[in-house]
Amino acid sequence: ATFKSKKVISKNKRKILILIKKKIDFSRYKPIIRLINKSKKLDYALLVSGIHLLRSHGLTIKEIFKENFKVYKKVNMFDEKSKDSPARMVKGLGEVLLKLPAIINGYKPNIILSGFDIGANFALTIAGAHMNIPVFHIQGGEVTGSIDESLRHAMSKFSHIHLVANSDAKNRLIRMGESPKTIYNVGCPSLDALRLENDHSKDYILKKFGIKLSEKYLLLIQHPVTTEEKNSSKQIKETLIALKKINLPTLIILPNNDAGYKKIVEEVKGSKFKWTKTLSLKEYKTLLSKCSVLIGNSSSGIHEASTFKIPVINIGTRQQGRLKPKNVITTDYKADQILKSIKFCLNSKIFAKKIKLIKNPYGNGFSAKEIIRILENIDLRKIKIQKINNY
């Protein structure tokens, strides 16, 4: 849908409810919240949950406070000592879902802004739909592996307005029965977040991470795949074998806490590679934009790396089926294949030349502005809360 601005009739600000669970959804919401703060028509309540509240994952709620974002409520989802298992994810989702009705009734939002394929946001989407509040979903329609595939599409079916990243996602939602009139192609807000960050100095990165930005180095982000969680240890071992044979400085960013993550963490900490629990967005932008290759299965390799013309080796099934820029090479969980792919990225002049010419299919880094324009001006009275399949 092409959006045309209209004046908001109400003199009061529209109240937007947002929930964040992981580092990645914070980075995507960050530019949106910044613009809400500047808006004369919008206000927000931010719920903080998931790994942002866990010391074992760096207690990243501190980054939210550094942004001077107001936190409406903390929504505890996980116990620090709970067992790493699929059941933990289900229990955490249930914990959030139980707490949301009282929070929603207390804040009385006009809009629920949900996003991506994250369990806590799935709970928020379900709650909003059941409580007759318009749900705006960011980045529906994309294909992914893992349980995320099911979560994302289920969220789309509960949502009323879709803020997608590209035409491929838009067309998929239409095939899923969503009305084209409810779909807006706005791009991926994570690109906005990176565009707005400045780089750290070379001295800062060298001192903190032991990485020389002027020399070749690798980044690894390998998350567990929930449907393959029993194989997490074997999968990361294959990656580490390949990295040892390359013999380049490597920084590993520890995974999220989806089922199977502890096995990955154990293998990484048992290796001789440098690792970090978490990175600030400024640190991540600096390291991503200067690295020789990004390796693993993070959506950052699909959404963001092409903006900086960085080669990506996408391992396994976690991003299976997702629209991939031409800087991405997909390989299996086998050390020899991963090693071959890394060498190709490092040595192929033809591939390097090809990457310099690509455009990012997930946007240009100005999606937050478009999202805010829609949130401010869309006529909420015309949104059909009772959804009907479009075919």
Side-chain angles (χ1 to χ4, degrees):
T2 301
F3 186 76
K4 296 180 181 180
S5 296
K6 296 179 182 178
K7 289 184 178 180
V8 177
I9 297 173
S10 174
K11 294 180 180 179
N12 298 320
K13 288 187 174 184
R14 287 182 170 176
K15 298 162 73 176
I16 317 294
L17 185 62
I18 300 169
L19 186 154
I20 58 172
K21 173 192 171 185
K22 296 181 179 180
K23 293 174 283 186
I24 192 165
D25 59 342
F26 171 56
S27 67
R28 289 174 182 171
Y29 279 127
K30 189 175 176 179
I32 298 169
I33 296 172
R34 281 178 174 174
L35 291 181
I36 291 175
N37 274 331
K38 294 179 180 180
S39 173
K40 294 179 180 179
K41 300 178 180 180
L42 303 174
D43 196 5
Y44 74 96
L46 180 61
L47 308 178
V48 180
S49 186
I51 64 174
H52 290 292
L53 305 179
L54 297 180
R55 292 189 180 279
S56 57
H57 287 264
L59 202 63
T60 48
I61 191 173
K62 293 182 289 187
E63 293 180 26
I64 299 166
F65 290 138
K66 284 180 183 178
E67 288 290 327
N68 292 318
F69 291 162
K70 54 188 179 184
V71 175
Y72 183 68
K73 287 192 184 294
K74 297 177 185 177
V75 185
N76 289 311
M77 185 175 182
F78 302 116
D79 189 303
E80 288 276 8
K81 298 179 181 178
S82 60
K83 186 179 178 181
D84 174 19
S85 69
R88 181 192 193 217
M89 296 175 67
V90 179
K91 184 179 178 182
L93 193 156
E95 290 283 348
V96 176
L97 193 55
L98 283 171
K99 294 167 184 173
L100 283 174
I103 294 171
I104 291 170
N105 279 329
Y107 182 61
K108 293 180 174 56
N110 303 107
I111 294 170
I112 282 176
L113 185 60
S114 180
F116 328 115
D117 52 12
I118 297 169
N121 272 259
F122 176 53
L124 181 63
T125 305
I126 293 172
H130 278 79
M131 297 176 75
N132 299 318
I133 300 166
V135 178
F136 290 51
H137 182 216
I138 301 172
Q139 280 190 262
E142 296 181 24
V143 176
T144 58
S146 189
I147 193 67
D148 299 347
E149 166 78 5
S150 301
L151 283 170
R152 188 184 297 265
H153 299 322
M155 290 167 75
S156 291
K157 298 310 294 183
F158 278 99
S159 300
H160 306 98
I161 299 295
H162 309 282
L163 307 169
V164 301
N166 50 49
S167 57
D168 179 69
K170 177 180 178 178
N171 291 335
R172 187 168 293 106
L173 283 180
I174 293 170
R175 294 198 299 274
M176 286 169 58
E178 298 302 301
S179 169
K181 294 179 181 179
T182 66
I183 307 171
Y184 302 90
N185 188 348
V186 298
C188 176
S190 65
L191 301 179
D192 299 45
L194 292 173
R195 177 181 60 81
L196 293 167
E197 290 291 337
N198 296 317
D199 286 347
H200 272 297
S201 68
K202 294 179 180 180
D203 291 341
Y204 174 92
I205 297 297
L206 179 60
K207 184 178 179 179
K208 185 165 183 179
F209 302 107
I211 296 289
K212 293 182 180 179
L213 294 177
S214 58
E215 298 180 3
K216 289 184 177 181
Y217 65 91
L218 308 175
L219 282 183
L220 173 66
I221 313 172
Q222 188 160 325
H223 297 294
V225 179
T226 55
T227 49
E228 303 168 4
E229 53 98 14
K230 292 182 180 179
N231 296 322
S232 292
S233 179
K234 181 180 178 181
Q235 290 170 355
I236 191 64
K237 280 180 181 178
E238 291 292 310
T239 305
L240 295 174
I241 289 169
L243 289 173
K244 286 174 184 176
K245 291 182 178 180
I246 285 293
N247 196 30
L248 276 178
T250 301
L251 179 65
I252 302 175
I253 304 162
L254 294 185
N256 64 37
N257 69 334
D258 285 347
Y261 84 98
K262 286 188 177 179
K263 297 171 186 176
I264 295 176
V265 171
E266 287 171 6
E267 293 294 338
V268 169
K269 289 185 176 180
S271 72
K272 294 182 180 180
F273 290 106
K274 297 182 181 74
W275 56 268
T276 181
K277 283 184 181 179
T278 186
L279 294 173
S280 70
L281 193 58
K282 186 174 182 178
E283 290 168 344
Y284 183 62
K285 179 189 177 180
T286 307
L287 288 161
L288 173 64
S289 62
K290 305 293 192 301
C291 75
S292 299
V293 188
L294 174 63
I295 303 162
N297 59 11
S298 170
S299 61
S300 179
I302 312 300
H303 288 140
E304 300 157 8
S306 64
T307 294
F308 302 103
K309 318 300 182 188
I310 301 298
V312 173
I313 297 170
N314 176 58
I315 302 172
T317 61
R318 190 169 185 264
Q319 305 299 335
Q320 185 174 308
R322 188 169 241 163
L323 177 66
K324 297 178 180 68
K326 294 181 179 180
N327 62 316
V328 178
I329 297 172
T330 296
T331 185
D332 201 358
Y333 304 106
K334 294 182 180 179
D336 58 342
Q337 291 184 22
I338 297 167
L339 179 62
K340 183 179 179 181
S341 298
I342 295 172
K343 288 181 176 179
F344 176 79
C345 290
L346 291 172
N347 300 316
S348 174
K349 293 181 180 179
I350 295 174
F351 187 55
K353 188 176 180 180
K354 180 180 178 182
I355 288 176
K356 287 180 181 179
L357 300 175
I358 63 173
K359 289 185 178 181
N360 192 330
Y362 290 89
N364 59 6
F366 290 90
S367 67
K369 185 177 179 181
E370 183 64 15
I371 290 171
I372 292 297
R373 192 164 69 90
I374 294 167
L375 291 173
E376 285 183 335
N377 298 296
I378 195 168
D379 191 339
L380 298 179
R381 297 167 302 180
K382 292 184 179 180
I383 294 175
K384 294 181 179 179
I385 297 297
Q386 177 58 61
K387 293 183 64 176
I388 300 174
N389 216 40
N390 202 48
Y391 60 80

